[in-house]
Amino acid sequence: QQPVQSPQAVILREGEDAVINCSSSKALYSVHWYRQKHGEAPVFLMILLKGGEQKGHEKISASFNEKKQQSSLYLTASQLSYSGTYFCGTEIDNFNKFYFGSGTKLNVKP
Amino acid sequence: SAVISQKPSRDICQRGTSLTIQCQVDSQVTMMFWYRQQPGQSLTLIATANQGSEATYESGFVIDKFPISRPNLTFSTLTVSNMSPEDSSIYLCSVLSAYEQYFGPGTRLTVT
């Protein structure tokens, strides 16, 4: 039930863009995105719900293709603070249980 | 939002012993979760703990090894029983508040 996440790692210069993908073999109710910095807990970034609703805190955009059960996180004009490991968490059928992808390590350099 | 604290933050334990990890939330929440995360790896759901009912365990995790208590809406414990070096990991609790999942700082467990 673990979603597949890609790429495994990305190196960017400040101001560059990146896309992180997450796909599931199961029909999804929602997709969450998190960022985790080294030695810290994951921090919620955004939720995308079946039906098109989205909620998030930061100026980060994402999409959810319900037909393909795929989500993408778009990091534009990256900043140094964007560095960390990004995880998608997928929820099946509103069971309120989340299965996490393997993570994408993002390194933004000056 | 929800603020979560965990105790202990880290511990080194001997093989065969047990450790109980506490998770305290600053607000009442229905659903709490326990995860395990190897350093540099993804998060693996151990169980879901709802107040007033038995915890629901994921495949590969059993109650005898990871008993969970959920006595009220702000507190939960996870016990790692009869530990082996394979149990060395970071254990995190989390809560669901509205649509958002908040994580505790984690408990880093090393079993020798």
Side-chain angles (χ1 to χ4, degrees):
Chain A
Q1 304 201 49
Q2 184 181 23
V4 177
Q5 204 174 321
S6 64
Q8 284 188 315
V10 181
I11 299 175
L12 295 176
R13 293 285 180 190
E14 262 187 302
E16 292 181 338
D17 303 337
V19 180
I20 301 172
N21 300 300
C22 176
S23 64
S24 173
S25 59
K26 304 266 187 187
L28 300 175
Y29 177 78
S30 74
V31 179
H32 288 212
W33 286 96
Y34 299 83
R35 177 171 59 219
Q36 185 176 32
K37 293 186 180 283
H38 183 70
E40 299 180 7
V43 173
F44 171 87
L45 295 176
M46 173 173 283
I47 177 174
L48 301 101
L49 290 152
K50 185 179 176 181
E53 189 176 1
Q54 297 186 5
K55 295 190 179 188
H57 291 301
E58 301 196 9
K59 295 180 182 178
I60 292 175
S61 63
S63 64
F64 179 21
N65 185 324
E66 293 179 38
K67 288 185 179 178
K68 294 185 177 180
Q69 305 306 324
Q70 292 176 349
S71 178
S72 295
L73 183 70
Y74 305 98
L75 303 169
T76 57
S78 60
Q79 305 170 19
L80 294 176
S81 62
Y82 285 11
S83 292
T85 301
Y86 289 77
F87 293 99
C88 65
T90 54
E91 180 188 13
I92 300 168
D93 291 337
N94 198 17
F95 287 157
N96 287 326
K97 293 199 297 186
F98 300 92
Y99 301 98
F100 283 76
S102 55
T104 297
K105 187 172 285 189
L106 177 69
N107 187 2
V108 181
K109 296 187 173 183
Chain B
S1 67
V3 177
I4 304 172
S5 59
Q6 281 186 237
K7 288 182 182 179
S9 58
R10 59 176 61 222
D11 207 340
I12 301 173
C13 301
Q14 290 196 337
R15 181 195 301 259
T17 62
S18 297
L19 176 72
T20 295
I21 301 168
Q22 298 179 8
C23 178
Q24 180 75 51
V25 190
D26 69 341
S27 57
Q28 294 185 334
V29 292
T30 302
M31 304 197 71
M32 294 181 78
F33 306 91
W34 287 97
Y35 290 88
R36 185 167 72 182
Q37 184 178 32
Q38 301 281 354
Q41 302 296 316
S42 183
L43 294 92
T44 301
L45 181 64
I46 297 172
T48 303
N50 292 338
Q51 195 269 335
S53 62
E54 293 288 326
T56 304
Y57 290 83
E58 295 299 304
S59 176
F61 298 96
V62 294
I63 187 171
D64 290 345
K65 175 68 175 177
F66 297 100
I68 289 171
S69 77
R70 182 79 201 275
N72 57 52
L73 291 173
T74 64
F75 187 78
S76 178
T77 66
L78 169 75
T79 299
V80 186
S81 304
N82 188 24
M83 288 183 284
S84 65
E86 292 71 36
D87 294 320
S88 296
S89 191
I90 299 169
Y91 292 84
L92 301 105
C93 67
S94 75
V95 302
L96 203 57
S97 178
Y99 288 111
E100 300 185 25
Q101 186 169 194
Y102 297 91
F103 286 86
T107 294
R108 183 180 290 266
L109 171 62
T110 302
V111 183
T112 60

